[in-house]
Amino acid sequence: MNNIINDIRETARQLLVDGKVDVVIGYEKGSLPLKATPCFVRTPQDVERLIWDETCENNLASFVANTAGKKAIVAKGCDSRSLVVLMQENQVLREDLYIIGVSCPGVVNKRKIEAEVGEIIEAAIADGMISVKGMEGSKEYAFAEVKDVTCQTCRYPNPVIEDTHIGGTVEVSQSTPFADVIEMENKSDSERQAYFKEQMSKCIRCYACRNACPLCYCPECFVDCNSPKWLTGGVNRAENLMFQAGRVLHLAGRCVDCGACTRACPQDVDIRAMNRKSAKDVFEMYHHEAGISETVVPALNEYSSEDPETFLVKE
């Protein structure tokens, strides 16, 4: 891991010295244990701030469009897929980007650890093990035990687009695609309804999920519109579902399953469940996965006379 960090820093330093970029977007150590934070390096002297480990969870593609000038970005697999979608939607220019690709072994599920040891006071990562001291006890975990659920099913841990690659590659998960969605589909209507009622009851509509998502970039979200007014200012289960369902539809064929929304949620709402269902439907009906290729036309940008239309006419 140290070799990867040194190579990231040296690459960033050279890009800044040569004047090829104005800023390098990467990760630095955060103020809380097991929590890296995005950083913006603008001078060669500041590249020592850059880190890389299992705490680098943010999707840095979220910051690209609003960062002026030419920029380099440290990109995991999901970050790179987000960049492809943003380029396809004319939000980012390829010539303004230098992509430093790094294969991602996954990120830590800090919430799972805190459920066992309480608020984390100290933590250290070494040789695939995470040692944690919490308010309610201390424990050592193998990284595989506390790997984020999104990363456990990730099929694109390696960047799909990059200008240079740092480190080795990560073996792609051989798990059954969308196994979690299939499990949900096999539940009865009443079971699914009860599950999502419980999830929507937890939502406080803080919009952390929207703010963390690299593809929620609308200047004005539909929930903030006054004319027409889609939602009131209150928080209730029905309106929470309206917001989340509307967001899922807006992300159909675009969501790259980075998990940023779920990790950002302070209430631990299973936001990902509906996005995963949408991704499965788009894949099965239109044979499309978001952001895996610059040349593949997005599912909802292309029409074919052979597109399935069973939802239009009931036979």
Side-chain angles (χ1 to χ4, degrees):
M1 194 68 76
N2 285 336
N3 289 337
I4 293 177
I5 295 172
N6 290 335
D7 288 347
I8 290 174
R9 290 172 178 174
E10 183 54 37
T11 300
R13 180 183 290 108
Q14 200 62 51
L15 288 169
L16 290 165
V17 168
D18 294 344
K20 291 183 178 179
V21 300
D22 302 302
V23 59
V24 177
I25 305 173
Y27 301 93
E28 66 180 330
K29 186 176 180 180
S31 58
L32 297 174
L34 296 184
K35 185 74 172 178
T37 190
C39 72
F40 300 81
V41 176
R42 301 181 187 275
T43 67
Q45 294 76 23
D46 281 344
V47 299
E48 297 303 316
R49 293 162 53 194
L50 293 167
I51 67 165
W52 174 260
D53 61 22
E54 293 86 349
T55 69
C56 298
E57 64 175 47
N58 296 78
N59 189 327
L60 297 183
S62 299
F63 305 100
V64 171
N66 292 322
T67 302
K70 292 187 178 295
K71 44 256 174 184
I73 176 174
V74 178
K76 308 186 294 292
C78 50
D79 301 51
S80 70
R81 292 178 65 193
S82 300
L83 290 172
V84 169
V85 176
L86 289 170
M87 286 187 283
Q88 289 174 330
E89 297 178 353
N90 300 316
Q91 299 301 308
V92 177
L93 295 176
R94 181 65 177 96
E95 53 265 34
D96 286 344
L97 282 180
Y98 189 95
I99 302 172
I100 304 171
V102 188
S103 295
C104 178
V107 299
V108 66
N109 185 339
K110 184 179 177 182
R111 192 169 286 159
K112 183 175 181 179
I113 296 174
E114 289 183 324
E116 296 186 10
V117 302
E119 182 181 350
I120 299 172
I121 303 171
E122 298 175 9
I125 303 176
D127 301 322
M129 300 298 294
I130 301 176
S131 301
V132 179
K133 178 182 178 182
M135 294 288 286
E136 299 171 16
S138 300
K139 191 170 182 179
E140 187 174 61
Y141 299 88
F143 173 61
E145 297 178 80
V146 290
K147 190 175 181 178
D148 190 83
V149 64
T150 306
C151 307
Q152 293 175 24
T153 58
C154 178
R155 297 177 57 239
Y156 297 96
N158 305 301
V160 300
I161 180 174
E162 57 191 359
D163 292 298
T164 189
H165 188 84
I166 304 294
T169 58
V170 172
E171 185 176 348
V172 178
S173 170
Q174 299 301 313
S175 60
T176 303
F178 301 110
D180 52 327
V181 183
I182 294 170
E183 182 181 358
M184 181 63 73
E185 289 174 337
N186 288 336
K187 294 181 182 293
S188 66
D189 291 348
S190 58
E191 288 175 319
R192 287 197 299 272
Q193 184 181 50
Y195 180 77
F196 286 108
K197 276 185 175 180
E198 178 191 6
Q199 295 302 310
M200 292 304 107
S201 295
K202 295 190 292 183
C203 177
I204 58 175
R205 281 225 317 278
C206 63
Y207 304 129
C209 53
R210 179 186 69 182
N211 295 341
C213 178
L215 300 174
C216 279
Y217 56 73
C218 293
E220 183 179 38
C221 180
F222 78 98
V223 299
D224 298 324
C225 292
N226 288 320
S227 181
K229 194 173 184 66
W230 294 93
L231 299 174
T232 70
V235 176
N236 61 64
R237 190 172 63 204
E239 292 206 352
N240 294 345
L241 179 59
M242 175 69 177
F243 163 61
Q244 295 293 355
R247 187 170 170 275
V248 168
L249 291 174
H250 289 178
L251 288 170
R254 303 171 63 237
C255 175
V256 300
D257 195 25
C258 66
C261 55
T262 302
R263 289 191 295 272
C265 179
Q267 296 295 101
D268 199 21
V269 177
D270 187 5
I271 303 165
R272 184 171 175 252
M274 291 190 287
N275 282 323
R276 289 276 290 168
K277 169 60 176 171
S278 171
K280 177 176 180 287
D281 288 348
V282 169
F283 180 71
E284 291 179 345
M285 290 192 289
Y286 304 108
H287 314 293
H288 177 79
E289 290 183 273
I292 61 171
S293 171
E294 294 178 86
T295 58
V296 174
V297 179
L300 300 184
N301 288 27
E302 185 177 38
Y303 170 75
S304 168
S305 60
E306 297 182 1
D307 283 346
E309 298 181 344
T310 53
F311 57 90
L312 295 179
V313 179
K314 185 175 181 180
E315 296 180 354

